[in-house]
Tab-separated table of all heavy atoms in Angstrom:
chain	number	residue	atom	x	y	z
A	208	SER	N	-27.834	138.664	3.251
A	208	SER	CA	-28.851	138.460	2.226
A	208	SER	C	-29.597	137.170	2.540
A	208	SER	O	-29.226	136.438	3.461
A	208	SER	CB	-28.224	138.393	0.834
A	208	SER	OG	-27.318	137.312	0.752
A	209	ARG	N	-30.623	136.884	1.778
A	209	ARG	CA	-31.416	135.699	2.081
A	209	ARG	C	-32.059	135.130	0.822
A	209	ARG	O	-32.188	135.814	-0.194
A	209	ARG	CB	-32.516	136.060	3.072
A	209	ARG	CG	-33.514	137.002	2.431
A	209	ARG	CD	-34.683	137.308	3.281
A	209	ARG	NE	-35.600	138.161	2.544
A	209	ARG	CZ	-36.713	138.636	3.032
A	209	ARG	NH1	-37.073	138.327	4.264
A	209	ARG	NH2	-37.486	139.414	2.313
A	210	ASP	N	-32.444	133.885	0.946
A	210	ASP	CA	-33.299	133.231	-0.035
A	210	ASP	C	-34.525	132.782	0.750
A	210	ASP	O	-34.493	131.741	1.425
A	210	ASP	CB	-32.572	132.045	-0.682
A	210	ASP	CG	-33.403	131.384	-1.754
A	210	ASP	OD1	-34.650	131.495	-1.724
A	210	ASP	OD2	-32.806	130.729	-2.630
A	211	SER	N	-35.582	133.573	0.686
A	211	SER	CA	-36.753	133.295	1.517
A	211	SER	C	-37.392	131.958	1.193
A	211	SER	O	-37.886	131.270	2.083
A	211	SER	CB	-37.786	134.418	1.332
A	211	SER	OG	-37.273	135.644	1.770
A	212	ALA	N	-37.371	131.605	-0.067
A	212	ALA	CA	-37.998	130.337	-0.470
A	212	ALA	C	-37.310	129.147	0.170
A	212	ALA	O	-37.925	128.108	0.410
A	212	ALA	CB	-37.976	130.208	-1.980
A	213	LYS	N	-36.036	129.309	0.458
A	213	LYS	CA	-35.255	128.222	1.060
A	213	LYS	C	-35.005	128.444	2.540
A	213	LYS	O	-34.288	127.657	3.160
A	213	LYS	CB	-33.918	128.088	0.333
A	213	LYS	CG	-34.034	127.726	-1.140
A	213	LYS	CD	-32.656	127.614	-1.775
A	213	LYS	CE	-32.748	127.243	-3.247
A	213	LYS	NZ	-31.398	127.143	-3.883
A	214	ASN	N	-35.581	129.517	3.104
A	214	ASN	CA	-35.312	129.864	4.508
A	214	ASN	C	-33.822	129.840	4.807
A	214	ASN	O	-33.368	129.282	5.817
A	214	ASN	CB	-36.061	128.920	5.453
A	214	ASN	CG	-37.493	129.370	5.712
A	214	ASN	OD1	-37.829	130.539	5.518
A	214	ASN	ND2	-38.330	128.452	6.131
A	215	THR	N	-33.086	130.456	3.930
A	215	THR	CA	-31.633	130.489	4.046
A	215	THR	C	-31.161	131.924	4.120
A	215	THR	O	-31.645	132.789	3.385
A	215	THR	CB	-30.980	129.792	2.845
A	215	THR	OG1	-31.421	128.426	2.806
A	215	THR	CG2	-29.464	129.822	2.959
A	216	VAL	N	-30.218	132.171	5.010
A	216	VAL	CA	-29.616	133.487	5.135
A	216	VAL	C	-28.117	133.358	4.922
A	216	VAL	O	-27.515	132.340	5.279
A	216	VAL	CB	-29.935	134.124	6.504
A	216	VAL	CG1	-29.323	133.323	7.642
A	216	VAL	CG2	-29.504	135.576	6.561
A	217	TYR	N	-27.546	134.384	4.305
A	217	TYR	CA	-26.123	134.377	3.999
A	217	TYR	C	-25.448	135.581	4.654
A	217	TYR	O	-26.072	136.622	4.848
A	217	TYR	CB	-25.901	134.451	2.477
A	217	TYR	CG	-26.616	133.381	1.702
A	217	TYR	CD1	-27.855	133.636	1.106
A	217	TYR	CD2	-26.077	132.107	1.567
A	217	TYR	CE1	-28.527	132.659	0.395
A	217	TYR	CE2	-26.742	131.118	0.854
A	217	TYR	CZ	-27.964	131.407	0.274
A	217	TYR	OH	-28.619	130.420	-0.425
A	218	LEU	N	-24.184	135.402	4.951
A	218	LEU	CA	-23.377	136.517	5.422
A	218	LEU	C	-22.098	136.525	4.596
A	218	LEU	O	-21.245	135.658	4.752
A	218	LEU	CB	-23.049	136.383	6.909
A	218	LEU	CG	-22.335	137.587	7.526
A	218	LEU	CD1	-23.256	138.802	7.565
A	218	LEU	CD2	-21.830	137.265	8.927
A	219	GLN	N	-22.011	137.502	3.695
A	219	GLN	CA	-20.806	137.666	2.896
A	219	GLN	C	-19.860	138.568	3.664
A	219	GLN	O	-20.207	139.710	3.989
A	219	GLN	CB	-21.152	138.302	1.543
A	219	GLN	CG	-19.951	138.554	0.652
A	219	GLN	CD	-19.255	137.286	0.210
A	219	GLN	OE1	-19.914	136.322	-0.175
A	219	GLN	NE2	-17.941	137.273	0.272
A	220	MET	N	-18.684	138.039	3.943
A	220	MET	CA	-17.707	138.772	4.745
A	220	MET	C	-16.480	139.058	3.910
A	220	MET	O	-15.777	138.122	3.490
A	220	MET	CB	-17.341	137.956	5.990
A	220	MET	CG	-18.549	137.537	6.816
A	220	MET	SD	-18.110	136.715	8.355
A	220	MET	CE	-17.333	135.237	7.725
A	221	ASN	N	-16.237	140.314	3.654
A	221	ASN	CA	-15.073	140.742	2.886
A	221	ASN	C	-14.126	141.545	3.764
A	221	ASN	O	-14.505	142.017	4.839
A	221	ASN	CB	-15.521	141.596	1.698
A	221	ASN	CG	-16.417	140.854	0.734
A	221	ASN	OD1	-16.294	139.639	0.547
A	221	ASN	ND2	-17.346	141.567	0.118
A	222	SER	N	-12.919	141.710	3.286
A	222	SER	CA	-11.909	142.506	4.007
A	222	SER	C	-11.836	142.085	5.468
A	222	SER	O	-11.846	142.921	6.383
A	222	SER	CB	-12.233	143.994	3.904
A	222	SER	OG	-12.288	144.408	2.556
Side-chain angles (χ1 to χ4, degrees):
S208 61
R209 67 175 183 182
D210 183 336
S211 297
K213 298 180 180 179
N214 275 339
T215 300
V216 64
Y217 305 97
L218 186 67
Q219 178 65 44
M220 306 185 295
N221 299 328
S222 302

